[in-house]
């Protein structure tokens, strides 16, 4: 009889512990969904990424317009955008691309704020930035241009002058 009571107490204790564990697990799952658990966060990130990609697609003509506005020498023949659109920690949407089928030399990056309707900033690879220099600003200082061109090899100098329409 004492053994039967011990067995019943042990079974009762196991049942109570199992019920308590189930209650805690249920509450934990319930709270994680309400507090933005992993499933909800991944869905939100995915929808933010999709929104960014749609907005980037919409803004590509504006980016092209801004690039062509910088291109005073009419150097740009083609503009190519990379497929990947990223969101930086500050919330900017980043679109990368390149000019004239030369990604290693003439790359650019555009930063957009979602729904601003403007290109917030642009950055260029050094070779591309050089093609946007307005040498008319230095017409009274021809040595500035000569010093700049002096950094190039003969072939690079010829290509640069051709790119800016002087050859």
């Amino acid at each position: 009889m004492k053994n039967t009571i011990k067995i019943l107490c042990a079974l009762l204790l196991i049942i109570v512990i199992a019920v308590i564990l189930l209650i805690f697990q249920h509450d934990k799952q319930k709270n994680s969904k309400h507090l933005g658990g992993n499933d909800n966060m991944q869905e939100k990130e995915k929808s933010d990424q999709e929104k960014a990609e749609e907005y980037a697609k919409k803004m590509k003509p504006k980016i092209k317009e801004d690039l062509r506005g910088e291109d005073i020498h009419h150097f740009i023949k083609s503009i190519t955008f990379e497929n990947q659109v990223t969101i930086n920690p500050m919330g900017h949407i980043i679109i990368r691309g390149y000019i004239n089928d030369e990604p290693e030399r003439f790359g650019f990056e555009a930063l957009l704020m979602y729904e601003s309707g403007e290109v917030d900033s642009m950055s260029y690879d050094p070779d591309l930035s050089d093609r946007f220099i307005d040498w008319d600003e230095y017409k009274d200082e021809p040595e500035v241009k000569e010093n700049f061109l002096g950094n190039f090899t003969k072939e690079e100098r010829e290509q640069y002058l051709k790119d800016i329409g002087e050859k």
Side-chain angles (χ1 to χ4, degrees), residues 16-94:
V16 168
I17 290 173
V19 169
I20 290 172
L21 288 174
L22 286 172
I23 290 171
F24 280 135
Q25 181 144 6
H26 178 72
D27 284 345
K28 186 177 177 182
Q29 287 176 348
K30 185 177 173 183
N31 286 339
S32 72
K33 287 182 181 174
H34 289 296
L35 298 174
N38 286 341
D39 292 339
N40 288 341
M41 289 298 282
Q42 287 174 348
E43 287 176 19
K44 184 179 186 311
E45 287 175 20
K46 185 176 179 184
S47 67
D48 286 348
Q49 181 66 32
E50 288 173 349
K51 287 179 188 177
E53 288 171 4
E54 289 173 9
Y55 184 65
K57 186 176 182 179
K58 176 179 148 186
M59 289 299 292
K60 284 179 182 179
K62 179 72 173 143
I63 295 168
K64 285 181 178 183
E65 178 184 320
D66 285 9
L67 283 166
R68 294 207 185 275
E70 290 289 320
D71 183 24
I72 60 171
H73 303 294
H74 308 290
F75 162 72
I76 297 174
K77 293 175 183 38
S78 67
I79 300 171
T80 306
F81 292 98
E82 295 177 0
N83 289 331
Q84 184 180 10
V85 174
T86 56
I87 304 171
N88 74 9
M90 298 297 290
H92 287 103
I93 299 167
I94 302 170

